[in-house]
Amino acid sequence: MPTLVVAGHGMVAHRLVEAVRAEDPSGNWHIVVLSEEPRPAYDRVALTSYVDTWDPASLALPGSDYADDSFVDLRLGELAVSVDRAAKTVTTASGAVVAYDALVLATGSRPFVPPVPGHDLPGCFVYRTIEDLDAIRAAAVDKPGRGRRSAVVIGGGLLGLEAAKALRDMGLSPHVVEMAPRLMPLQVDEGGGSLLRRLITNLDVTVHTGTSTDAIEADGSRLLAKLGNGTELDVDLVVFSAGVRPRDDLARQSGLELGPRGGVLTDLSCRTSDPSIYAIGECAAVDGRVYGIVAPGYAMAEIVAAQLTGGAGEFPEPDTSTKLKLMGVDVASFGDAHATTEGALEVAVNDAVAGTYKKLVVTDDGKTLLGGVLVGDATEYNTLRALVGRPLPAEPGAILAPAGGGAAVGVDALPDAAQICSCNAVSKGAITRAIHEDGCDSVPKLKACTRAGTACGSCVPLLGKLLSAAGVEQSKAVCEHFPQSRAELFEIVQATRITTFSELIARYGTGSGCALCKPAVASILATLGNGHVLGGEQMTLQDTNDRYLANLQRNGTYSVVPRIPGGEITPDKLIVIGEVARDFGLYTKITGGQRIDLFGATVDQLPQIWRRLVDAGFESGHAYGKALRTVKSCVGSTWCRYGVQDSVGLAIELELRYRGLRSPHKLKSAVSGCARECAEARSKDFGIIATENGWNLYVGGNGGTTPRHADLLVSDVDTETLIRTIDRFLMFYVRTADRLQRTAPWIEEMEGGLDHLRAVIVDDSLGICEDLDAAMAKHVDNYADEWKGVLEDPEKLARFTSFVNAPGTPDPAISFRSEREQKVPVMLGVPEVRR
Amino acid sequence: MTTSIERTWTAVCPVEAVPEYAGVAALLDGVQVAIFHLPGDRWYALSNWDPCSGAAVLSRGIVGDAGGVPVVASPVYKERFALESGQCLDAEDVSVPVYEVRVREGVVEVESP
Ligand code: SRM
Ligand SMILES: Cc1cc2nc3c(=O)[nH]c(=O)nc-3n(C[C@H](O)[C@H](O)[C@H](O)COP(=O)(O)OP(=O)(O)OC[C@H]3O[C@@H](n4cnc5c(N)ncnc54)[C@H](O)[C@@H]3O)c2cc1C
Ligand code: SF4
Ligand code: FES
């Protein structure tokens, strides 16, 4: 069996192995992969998102450990140090000698560190691997005290700005130093550069352009970066991001030809000067040219895999478009962004007020798109990029006109050959085929089937649009009784002021409803303030939990959860809970939500239990409702030596403000008193983390089945702004989300995502904020404890009976046994039914 | 020849105790029955026992229809049962017993099980 040795295991090497294995399922090749890094290939393109979770699993590339593949031998932590071309062997740092029949060099590149004095001092880092980020993080959090820490990034290109974002997300104040007169000089022209500078500065990143970095000096535990223009930056750490250099050491050592500016020289089929050795990815100089992005690397991997498995292939004209993944700032460049094509014309619109700059590069007749630059608003990036080299659907000026007046460039305008996903080279035609012929009716299915959208993700919105354009919209209908989505029903109820389910279904639905639409409508009615959730007909719409204001358990009993705002409770109240639990014989447990759950109450006991609790000052905890559950807190600045704000006080304020708010799914929150995040706020629908200057608000997190960390929505805001922002966030969610859709999928499915959300609730782009504010004010004013409402109303109380003809008789089917000194349910078999 | 089946009826509650689309549970000689009330003075009674969860809770389910067939959805795992036949719509081989119900002078009566 011939052996294929792959040196390096980055994204490109992984794509190669995948492609070879796909074409060669019976294992004609035995594959040995030598990986310097200690873990299988991961998504380096998404490296910056690692700071959201600090969980390497979040960057995993599916299948890159080849765990179930006996034909692939992945050797982690094995650096290839030399190649003996005559003997056809590779020697590794551990001394292993591996013979090859074919060798593929996929060693990527290394960050370039300019040889300024002091570049190797402790506190200087590069930005390429998970280990690099871990090291930066350790340095960033290690230094106690002294207020906000700062950092300088040397290099203002794409990666430098990403590094600055990561540092900012870690709570540091970053500076960026760029030698060129503008940021992202390779992608963006002068007009775009100055706007970009403004937008980046707004993100609390200090920008220094047109200056070199002359030296780094140690100053106690800090570093001094001396810039060419005389500025001295006093920082905690330095990150070099001044470009990359291909790792061509193996080629140099073994005498392979190199490219004019480094890199392993190959022909257009990625073959080096030795016919049994190929080079792919960032280490290759294909026809003399080195590429620093992943899409051309993937193309090279496919070409080499084809040749190894009996096919052929040549490197196509690569697409070097880029879109910056920097939160809150849209920057994109595509095609011939700098108008280097003969006779190319540039049409630019610079709108200083809106903060947008758009430039299209077109052929001299103005008809064919060659490239462009978008800053401030890159919504049209995907469609425009796909149009490069093709006729424009309208005059360039019309396309650039400000929103509203502009000629829209829709997916319809794209020809079948247009590339939708440039990372994976997937055309519009391939995607529409997958939709029509392979029955892909959702974005996840399209991703699985075509690979589009699985690398940088920037084409995902286009996939959605192609699905809609093909008429494959997934039904948003609530159920068979209502053709409308939940959001549409909300609008209808709000606009028509209908207050009952029967009127709504008579006018807008069919039949008599079901367990899907009834609770959904009940929730809408409750949000809009239609009295007690058990009032009148509403009682019959509620799921059993809401109908009995308690959580149904497996044996038909219920659990009771009094609200303990922020998790703070007096000893006296704690004693009351203990006494109630003891007197009613309830199983007692501390929940994961910083409160106490009492289990095993029968329907008749519920009002008696709550009478005692309400008298002692407790309220419903809504553990049963699609409503606000808890706002967890950490101990915060009152006691904790690291706390910078009163997290308990804020958590209580928020919990009291939003208690009782009915929503499409449950809502959870938490407040942490500092960046150590003891309250796990980023795993909540809305989480707040204290900063020295105020609060950072994160939204769209959850635990549960698909855990997700919340994303930063606004930072360093004062309490008033924070609460106003949360008010709007919650009201907007409550009005527009689907049934049982938590905030994370709601934001993910929203067109424009987090940026759109921010535009709507911070910048009031839809002009609805006043309305949202008023709706929340109404909620806060109208709040009343649901359990108190039941206890005060004999008619509602009468519904809490076990048997209508024998109230007070306990359900004979309920039985308990004892475990660890508390009762637990025993399920009895289904009884014989007499007939 | 005709056989007449002798039914005995048990008075359970006044009609006002069961609003439209609501359900209540009754204990009839140790057997739990779930009674439902639909508009048009339609009354149904099923076993209160939910065979899918093993808990006696069907009376606490949401009442509605599936393709026009009146159903109650179990509050535990949401399987639907036809009010007329007791057949489970979500599991072919599951059904619950049904009982006759009638209203006499404002009182709901159920056939004794
Ligand atoms: C009691 C408790 C477990 C415990 O003993 O600690 C609990 C118990 C239940 N959880 Fe939970 N969850 C509890 C904390 C959590 C947490 C932790 C947290 O809130 O910090 C999570 C993960 C965080 C999250 O929700 O994002 C959690 C994720 C879930 C999920 C999955 C949600 C998701 O989006 O995937 C469900 C299912 C659902 O809601 O649809 C669920 C549903 C349930 C239900 C309501 C299931 C049911 O319908 O019967 C459980 C019944 C509660 C009861 O009878 O009182 N529970 N559950 C915790 C109550 C907290 C409280 O005080 O209110
Ligand atoms: C923060 C960041 C953001 C990025 N964003 C984008 C983006 O938005 N879009 C985009 O297209 N690209 C982006 N890139 C670039 C992209 O990640 C690279 O183009 C891509 O990862 C190159 O893949 P590769 O496999 O050629 O090289 P690498 O990913 O560098 O992998 C090479 C691997 O080989 C190992 N290795 C090297 N020498 C040896 C040896 N002698 N023996 C054994 N192993 C060896 C290395 O340790 C490394 O693991 C980004 C890069 C970074 C760092
Ligand atoms: S999050 Fe901060 S303030 Fe809160 S307990 Fe942890 S360290 Fe203390
Ligand atoms: S363009 Fe990057 S994943 Fe599709």
Side-chain angles (χ1 to χ4, degrees), chain A residues 738-820:
Chain A
D738 274 338
R739 197 181 71 84
L740 297 188
Q741 183 178 45
R742 284 190 79 175
T743 53
W746 171 65
I747 297 171
E748 271 163 22
E749 278 184 23
M750 188 183 295
E751 218 169 299
L754 191 68
D755 291 337
H756 176 69
L757 176 66
R758 193 180 291 111
V760 173
I761 65 177
V762 179
D763 309 327
D764 200 9
S765 63
L766 298 180
I768 58 170
C769 284
E770 203 178 319
D771 193 28
L772 298 177
D773 292 345
M776 187 58 85
K778 185 172 161 204
H779 163 77
V780 174
D781 286 348
N782 288 348
Y783 167 81
D785 176 30
E786 280 163 6
W787 261 108
K788 198 155 180 236
V790 169
L791 296 174
E792 286 166 353
D793 180 350
E795 202 185 313
K796 293 194 180 76
L797 266 179
R799 308 243 173 260
F800 287 82
T801 40
S802 50
F803 298 107
V804 69
N805 62 340
T809 309
D811 176 351
I814 293 174
S815 163
F816 299 98
R817 65 187 167 81
S818 165
E819 195 177 284
R820 292 185 298 276

Side-chain angles (χ1 to χ4, degrees), chain A residues 160-406:
Chain A
L161 293 182
E162 274 199 32
K165 166 184 157 43
L167 290 166
R168 203 199 59 165
D169 288 355
M170 286 183 225
L172 286 86
S173 305
H175 295 260
V176 171
V177 181
E178 168 58 49
M179 195 118 77
R182 60 174 185 275
L183 294 171
M184 287 181 74
L186 290 183
Q187 291 87 4
V188 171
D189 62 0
E190 227 180 283
S194 57
L195 175 62
L196 179 58
R197 182 195 182 103
R198 211 173 85 208
L199 297 174
I200 297 284
T201 307
N202 287 347
L203 291 177
D204 279 344
V205 176
T206 315
V207 178
H208 312 261
T209 50
T211 178
S212 56
T213 307
D214 290 350
I216 313 288
E217 285 172 11
D219 177 15
S221 70
R222 305 185 48 89
L223 295 169
L224 217 53
K226 298 195 158 171
L227 307 190
N229 64 6
T231 310
E232 292 193 353
L233 301 173
D234 174 18
V235 294
D236 294 275
L237 53 102
V238 176
V239 176
F240 285 100
S241 180
V244 294
R245 297 289 180 268
R247 292 183 69 169
D248 49 17
D249 357 351
L250 289 172
R252 286 177 197 274
Q253 167 273 326
S254 61
L256 291 174
E257 275 178 50
L258 300 177
R261 306 170 72 190
V264 191
L265 184 68
T266 75
D267 60 13
L268 282 174
S269 55
C270 298
R271 218 178 262 259
T272 67
S273 48
D274 179 331
S276 38
I277 305 180
Y278 300 83
I280 58 176
E282 287 195 353
C283 70
V286 182
D287 204 20
R289 196 169 153 199
V290 178
Y291 299 90
I293 52 180
V294 76
Y298 278 171
M300 298 175 210
E302 303 280 355
I303 291 165
V304 172
Q307 293 171 77
L308 290 171
T309 52
E314 264 205 5
F315 193 59
E317 179 77 20
D319 180 354
T320 54
S321 307
T322 25
K323 186 173 173 202
L324 186 58
K325 306 181 292 291
L326 193 63
M327 185 206 68
V329 179
D330 273 5
V331 191
S333 82
F334 52 94
D336 181 10
H338 294 289
T340 53
T341 311
E342 249 316 303
L345 298 175
E346 295 180 84
V347 187
V349 175
N350 195 348
D351 185 339
V353 181
T356 59
Y357 170 87
K358 299 182 181 188
K359 182 183 84 173
L360 296 187
V361 178
V362 293
T363 47
D364 49 9
D365 59 1
K367 294 221 163 86
T368 306
L369 184 65
L370 294 174
V373 175
L374 304 170
V375 180
D377 173 13
T379 15
E380 280 155 351
Y381 165 68
N382 290 293
T383 3
L384 287 173
R385 185 192 67 190
L387 271 177
V388 169
R390 301 172 192 285
L392 278 170
E395 290 288 305
I399 291 175
L400 289 176

Side-chain angles (χ1 to χ4, degrees), chain A residues 675-688:
Chain A
R676 285 170 192 74
E677 243 286 69
C678 304
E680 301 170 305
R682 290 197 60 200
S683 67
K684 301 298 174 206
D685 296 281
F686 59 106
I688 298 98

Side-chain angles (χ1 to χ4, degrees), chain A residues 634-637 640-644 647 672-679:
Chain A
C634 77
V635 59
S637 58
C640 177
R641 64 203 162 119
Y642 293 120
V644 292
S647 50
S672 277
C674 82
R676 285 170 192 74
E677 243 286 69
C678 304

